[in-house]
Amino acid sequence: MAFDDLLAIRQDIFNLYRKKGGEGALFQPESFWPHVTIGFDRRDLFIEDGIYKGSNYCYARIHLVK
């Protein structure tokens, strides 16, 4: 599934949430970084912790082995 597909789903959720009276400022469909969590310390880490999960960010170089 492409990022655009996931973003469209999140936009649909947002629209439904607002239609049912939800506060729009509490959910931002664009604030979304699809990722795979490989590991974490005591809990998952988030942008509030200074952890960015974009495709252009990595803590260390990764060496893939086949």
Side-chain angles (χ1 to χ4, degrees):
M1 184 177 282
F3 174 76
D4 291 337
D5 295 336
L6 295 172
L7 188 56
I9 291 168
R10 288 178 60 84
Q11 188 65 49
D12 289 344
I13 291 168
F14 174 77
N15 292 337
L16 181 60
Y17 174 71
R18 291 287 295 133
K19 183 178 177 181
K20 292 186 173 275
E23 173 56 54
L26 298 178
F27 181 73
Q28 228 178 345
E30 301 81 17
S31 294
F32 176 57
W33 299 273
H35 67 282
V36 174
T37 300
I38 296 175
F40 50 87
D41 183 27
R42 284 184 240 126
R43 64 179 181 81
D44 198 358
L45 300 172
F46 300 94
I47 196 166
E48 295 84 5
D49 301 303
I51 303 301
Y52 296 85
K53 299 178 181 181
S55 62
N56 63 338
Y57 185 83
C58 187
Y59 175 73
R61 294 189 62 81
I62 296 175
H63 177 71
L64 299 177
V65 179
K66 291 186 179 185

